Amino acid sequence: MRVTLRPWRPDDAASLLAAVQATPDLDTQMNRSAVHGLEAAEEYIHSALAWDPDAGTCSFAIDVDGRAAGNAGLSHMDYRHRTAWLSYWIASDCRGLGLAGRAAAGAAEELNLFRIELGHRVNNPASCAVAKRAGFLPEGIERSKLEYGGLRFGNTCAARN
């Protein structure tokens, strides 16, 4: 299995659409309703998964043998302080292979940043395990950090310097 990180491309639209259709829990990571067909998936890649360091966001497609199987994204990039926020997701058929941890570590190193933070829901132990494997250390729990779908979530904040 060959795994690389690279920017998303328009020809990844079919892989993105397949991941969204097969992975219902991506609702917690992205606006799945925006990816309702191939054209919409292509637009989502152009807008939400853009590689735009000047705008403070870089999304890496997690490429498994030539197929985009997930995303590792850096956002809220602050070049003055060399900091960013990391998020990740993996299509359901590629979970359990260690891809998210490898991608999180790779994305963290790619742009020569001093500090990268991530947060995961306290009820998501798999995401916690990913963060630990990628070398992130827990720093605390942020209560009532997120709200979506009418639910409020606490977050465990982790960082890597």
Side-chain angles (χ1 to χ4, degrees):
M1 176 172 55
R2 195 178 121 244
V3 179
T4 58
L5 293 178
R6 60 167 174 77
W8 283 84
R9 303 181 302 237
D11 64 344
D12 292 322
S15 295
L16 175 61
L17 181 60
V20 164
Q21 289 174 336
T23 314
D25 65 355
L26 286 184
D27 281 337
T28 60
Q29 294 294 99
M30 62 188 292
N31 179 4
R32 287 180 62 235
S33 65
V35 183
H36 50 79
L38 278 177
E39 285 183 28
E42 211 172 306
E43 176 54 33
Y44 193 86
I45 288 168
H46 177 71
S47 60
L49 298 176
W51 182 272
D52 192 353
D54 293 335
T57 182
C58 292
S59 291
F60 296 87
I62 302 168
D63 186 301
V64 179
D65 296 329
R67 172 187 152 221
N71 182 67
L74 293 169
S75 63
H76 300 87
M77 294 167 63
D78 178 335
Y79 292 105
R80 179 177 182 200
H81 300 288
R82 295 180 39 227
T83 61
W85 182 263
L86 175 72
S87 62
Y88 42 82
W89 59 261
I90 302 291
S92 60
D93 66 328
C94 290
R95 291 181 180 174
L97 302 174
L99 299 175
R102 289 165 55 187
E109 294 167 6
E110 185 73 22
L111 296 171
N112 190 32
L113 296 167
F114 169 70
R115 178 181 170 87
I116 298 177
E117 298 177 348
L118 67 85
H120 67 83
R121 292 178 318 282
V122 293
N123 66 347
N124 189 347
S127 189
C128 178
V130 166
K132 287 180 181 177
R133 279 193 303 274
F136 286 78
L137 301 174
E139 291 189 338
I141 295 177
E142 300 174 299
R143 288 166 176 47
S144 298
K145 176 69 175 178
L146 303 172
E147 181 180 52
Y148 47 84
L151 302 172
R152 292 184 180 182
F153 298 93
N155 236 17
T156 298
C157 183
R160 179 178 171 167
N161 309 33

